Amino acid sequence: MTQVRADDGAPATRPEAQARADRIEAFRQELAALDRAGVLRLGAEDRERVEAYHAGMLDDLAARFDVDRSERQRRMSLGMRVATLLGALTLSAAVVFFFYRVWGLLGTATQVLVLVSAPLVLLAAAEAFARRERTLYVTSIMAVTATAAFVLDLSTAGAIFNLRPSPFAPALWAAFALIVAYRYELRLLLAAGLAMAGWAACAIVGWVAGLDISAWGARPEPLLPLGALAVAFAASAPNRRRPGFSEVWRLGGLAALLLPLVLLSTWSEAFSYIRLPGKTLGAIYDAAGFALGGAAIWLGFQKGWTRFVQAAAGFLVLFLYVKCFDWLWDWMPRYLFFLLLGGIAVAAVIALGRVRSRRRRL
Amino acid sequence: MRGRGLWWASALVVAANLAVLGLAAANRSGEPDAILDLTERELRLPVKEPENTALALSLEFQRRRPGPETESERPQVKEAGWFDRA
């Protein structure tokens, strides 16, 4: 039997390796179906060579990337991802509650020492696990918990020394989460870091504008340009090198660009920095919501970004429903209102179905 | 970033904490502009939570809203403008 090394077009990342393993599995099943139907029958020698090649390739992929080789393994991997998320959340909660449980028993210097060392120790643990495991499940738990410990550190240190809340604290938390996310290629932490960066941007702009601390997060306009920048930055080289990072940036940017428009178009005077009459500003943001939602769908189709298109289409439907409620609820009979919403849903399904079949023909 | 990320993240933790300690030190340095005597009426122990061993004091105050005062709004005003000047 010929020994085949799986070194041609070798995948560089785990998703690429998993896609290759999936293709091999699909090929095997299709070949068996063709064989049963009598359409194609490989000779014994050819079959043996292909089997040996694929077995070598799968062994290599499993050794380097720990890919799932069967449906059962795939289901277990999904379970491990869910367990990772739950583990990260619950361990973070454990760190926070443990500190609250003991900090009254400690002196100020010890409190500060514990607060500073917790994120550093957890970071070291993440590094240690990252060197041992290929799938980075435990690393992810440690990294998220380290971020939670850093959030606890700054917020509690501010409380201990009676400092005024700072709008720069979320920026530091975002920086920490993003550095760690890029270090270990963790999409969950990247998404958390982007969310905190958006919060930080709103807080800093609110602080510069002289808003009360309780209103820092209630003016989401700074997110609009940042969302557009995030979509543009998604294709940068550091993101392309890391699996899934471009998509997280794109979807995060899209959310930052579109979701604030729901608030800004409906309650313009409450949520906007711009001092224009509420009706004028609302009309501008109404137009922006429909235009940007449509533009995002067009861009997603052009670039082949499936989830981007789905998210933008989901936003457009949500935005349309919110606008219908805003415009029509007060004067339209309820049955007619819901009939209209149902009609819009049917029209959206038909329109998307037509676009889908047109793209299939292309 | 990939190789040095661990050190950047650690440096960020240390620098942020040094900044907090520096701000706290600056906040407590120098001579006070004014000294205010407070009693148990203003300084109260908040209700203790069973899972939190922290010792805290809360400052209770009221301030009259400028203009005519109604009975219902009197105890609700929570802005400590007078405290800034002390």
Side-chain angles (χ1 to χ4, degrees):
Chain A
M1 186 167 59
T2 318
Q3 191 67 32
V4 183
R5 282 280 305 151
D7 55 357
D8 54 326
T13 62
R14 190 173 187 278
E16 286 174 12
Q18 187 61 59
R20 184 71 196 266
D22 292 346
R23 284 206 303 275
I24 291 172
E25 181 58 29
F27 174 82
R28 283 174 166 173
Q29 288 177 7
E30 184 59 23
L31 193 63
L34 291 174
D35 187 80
R36 280 196 301 276
V39 178
L40 175 68
R41 287 210 170 92
L42 289 180
E45 195 180 324
D46 289 338
R47 180 184 295 273
E48 204 170 272
R49 201 164 54 242
V50 170
E51 280 294 325
Y53 175 75
H54 279 160
M57 170 69 82
L58 286 174
D59 286 345
D60 185 53
L61 295 177
R64 287 166 55 209
F65 299 103
D66 201 12
V67 294
D68 299 325
R69 297 170 68 162
S70 64
E71 191 54 38
R72 185 184 167 84
Q73 278 190 337
R74 207 187 313 277
R75 280 199 297 272
M76 288 184 73
S77 288
L78 180 65
M80 286 168 79
R81 279 200 290 277
V82 173
T84 300
L85 178 64
L86 287 176
L89 294 176
T90 48
L91 259 185
S92 300
V95 168
V96 172
F97 285 115
F98 177 72
F99 185 77
Y100 280 142
R101 185 86 186 192
V102 300
W103 71 325
L105 312 173
L106 310 173
T108 307
T110 317
Q111 287 174 349
V112 172
L113 195 67
V114 170
L115 286 172
V116 177
S117 53
L120 296 176
V121 168
L122 287 161
L123 208 52
E127 179 69 21
F129 279 108
R131 291 180 183 191
R132 285 163 179 262
E133 56 172 358
R134 283 160 295 176
T135 46
L136 299 179
Y137 289 122
V138 185
T139 307
S140 181
I141 293 176
M142 291 298 142
V144 172
T145 313
T147 308
F150 185 47
V151 173
L152 173 77
D153 170 16
L154 287 196
S155 51
T156 311
I160 289 171
F161 295 112
N162 238 352
L163 297 177
R164 279 189 301 178
S166 166
F168 297 101
L172 294 174
W173 298 329
F176 182 87
L178 291 176
I179 291 171
V180 178
Y182 275 82
R183 169 74 181 92
Y184 302 112
E185 303 186 353
L186 304 175
R187 282 172 292 175
L188 176 66
L189 207 51
L190 174 66
L194 292 179
M196 285 192 277
W199 174 27
C202 291
I204 291 170
V205 173
W207 174 70
V208 170
L211 291 184
D212 184 77
I213 181 176
S214 58
W216 281 353
R219 302 283 173 101
E221 266 158 344
L223 294 176
L224 303 179
L226 288 178
L229 284 176
V231 173
F233 182 69
S236 66
N239 291 329
R240 283 203 309 271
R241 281 201 299 272
R242 293 170 171 83
F245 269 43
S246 293
E247 189 167 53
V248 172
W249 271 94
R250 269 197 299 275
L251 293 176
L254 188 69
L257 180 65
L258 296 182
L259 288 180
L261 294 172
V262 176
L263 299 174
L264 288 165
S265 66
T266 311
W267 298 282
S268 314
E269 285 171 327
F271 286 101
S272 176
Y273 282 106
I274 302 170
R275 296 293 96 194
L276 280 177
K279 283 194 174 176
T280 311
L281 201 54
I284 292 170
Y285 280 124
D286 285 347
F290 289 114
L292 288 173
I297 291 176
W298 175 83
L299 180 69
F301 270 130
Q302 294 299 313
K303 300 280 187 182
W305 300 334
T306 309
R307 286 187 185 164
F308 192 84
V309 172
Q310 290 167 342
F315 163 79
L316 260 190
V317 172
L318 170 79
F319 193 69
L320 192 58
Y321 277 20
V322 170
K323 287 294 97 190
C324 283
F325 183 80
D326 192 27
W327 295 330
L328 309 173
W329 181 257
D330 283 341
W331 63 270
M332 191 176 264
R334 302 291 177 259
Y335 77 90
L336 202 55
F337 178 78
F338 287 109
L339 188 66
L340 181 71
L341 293 193
I344 289 171
V346 171
V349 168
I350 292 171
L352 287 172
R354 283 190 179 167
V355 173
R356 181 169 167 268
S357 12
R358 197 178 308 146
R359 290 196 69 79
R360 197 167 47 203
R361 280 200 297 276
L362 288 173
Chain B
M1 170 74 82
R2 195 184 288 248
R4 291 190 297 269
L6 183 67
W7 302 113
W8 280 112
S10 305
L12 181 66
V13 171
V14 173
N17 279 281
L18 285 176
V20 168
L21 293 175
L23 283 172
N27 204 17
R28 294 167 183 213
S29 64
E31 293 298 314
D33 298 328
I35 294 177
L36 197 65
D37 288 323
L38 300 170
T39 65
E40 283 182 29
R41 195 183 63 154
E42 296 90 20
L43 282 179
R44 294 194 182 167
L45 285 171
V47 178
K48 205 131 179 84
E49 296 168 33
E51 292 277 332
N52 190 346
T53 54
L55 183 65
L57 279 177
S58 65
L59 180 61
E60 299 279 327
F61 58 86
Q62 295 174 15
R63 187 172 72 101
R64 284 189 177 173
R65 200 191 290 270
E69 182 181 285
T70 63
E71 189 62 33
S72 61
E73 73 182 14
R74 192 182 301 156
Q76 304 300 327
V77 183
K78 290 287 185 185
E79 297 161 14
W82 58 273
F83 197 58
D84 289 346
R85 289 195 298 277

